[in-house]
Amino acid sequence: MSTAHNPPPKGFRMPAEWAPQSAVWMLWPERPDNWRLGAKPAQGAFVAVARAISCFTPVTLGVSAGQYRHARSCFGADPAIRVVELSSNDAWMRDVGPTFVQHQQSGELRGIDWQFNAWGGLHSGLYFPWDRDNEIADKVLSMTRTPAHRADFVLEGGAIHVDGEGTVLTTEECLLHPNRNPHLSRQDIEQRLCAWLGAEKVLWIPEGIFEDETDGHVDNMACFIRPGEIALAWTDDENDPQHARSQAALAALESQTDARGRSLTVHRLPLPGPLYMTAEEAAGIDPDSSGMSRAAGDRLAASYINFLITNGGIIMPAFDDPMDDIARQCLQDWLPDYEIVTVPGREILLGGGNIHCITQQQPR
């Protein structure tokens, strides 16, 4: 059942990421104009992420018909990882998949099918076409027999975080960008976020990570780790362009309260690097006219914030960087009841995102 342009009824709310999950959804990387060397290194990274998640939560991986047998062979007979045929334009399940909402009393699930325009549409989107990606959410909801609500505006899952208690976190850089919903004001967007996500308040920070090609998705910059507490990507290097962005985000968060009226505790999670694309990495990417741009020397939007919380585990990207262990210890100190699992994230980063970007949780 699909309900066109009508938000879920009252009583439905997007759960926090730490709420119990029944599944995590992913897509398989294939396109050679984004993933180097025919996407083989990226596929290895996605396999490692799926295996790490499957220790806590079952994984369903969508893959094209042409890559189906190969993807199946990568997982053997692992009962916790299901491979299904699900065509896509790329592999960013967070942004193209559904956002699940849950009734606060009955536990009933419904799904939001946001409009997707490849992070900017015909003028500044990252690739064309994006028609298959725009069908992913509807297909996932059909497969899970979840009632679908088709939104009337553009939004990607990586542009929002929630605390499960009525608060939404996002960035002005992304949601107020004219390449998403130029006909909507800030107030319009706030009203829609609250209506569709079952929220009561939107917290805005100015910008995301420097050179993030998603126009500053919040899931690479800041996230809730529990109600009233936020982890924020941080650097003390005043010469780094990221420094001013992190400072502005901290000031914005410290000046706001959440939907329950709480002042926010902000934890500073150090950034790796800066990291840059090497000439060898760039040479392995096939040039294409679809809009993708990859070149040696490009600064990569690397951030440890791009982790997934799932059923008692945290799957965190690592970059073979001196900050890896420090970031991991920070998360362990802040969230002592979770098992922190690190997975190499550079190959995913080269494609423009990381672990949170390639996953989407389904509540239990």
Side-chain angles (χ1 to χ4, degrees), residues 5 35 46 54 84 94 123 142 166 173-174 192 243 287 312 318 353 356:
H5 305 330
W35 308 101
F46 276 54
S54 71
V84 298
R94 177 66 52 177
H123 299 293
S142 177
E173 180 184 7
C174 182
R192 280 168 169 78
H243 182 264
H356 198 261

Side-chain angles (χ1 to χ4, degrees), residues 209-272:
I209 293 292
F210 180 64
E211 298 288 18
D212 186 339
E213 63 190 9
T214 66
D215 303 309
H217 271 187
V218 76
D219 74 344
N220 210 30
M221 179 69 171
C223 66
F224 290 103
I225 59 172
R226 61 173 62 90
E229 296 188 36
I230 290 174
L232 173 67
W234 190 262
T235 177
D236 289 318
D237 183 359
E238 296 182 2
N239 296 315
D240 189 329
Q242 179 59 40
H243 182 264
R245 289 171 170 250
S246 296
Q247 290 275 357
L250 178 63
L253 291 170
E254 289 184 338
S255 70
Q256 301 177 82
T257 57
D258 66 13
R260 299 292 180 91
R262 290 174 294 222
S263 297
L264 300 167
T265 299
V266 182
H267 303 276
R268 305 178 190 187
L269 188 63
L271 286 160

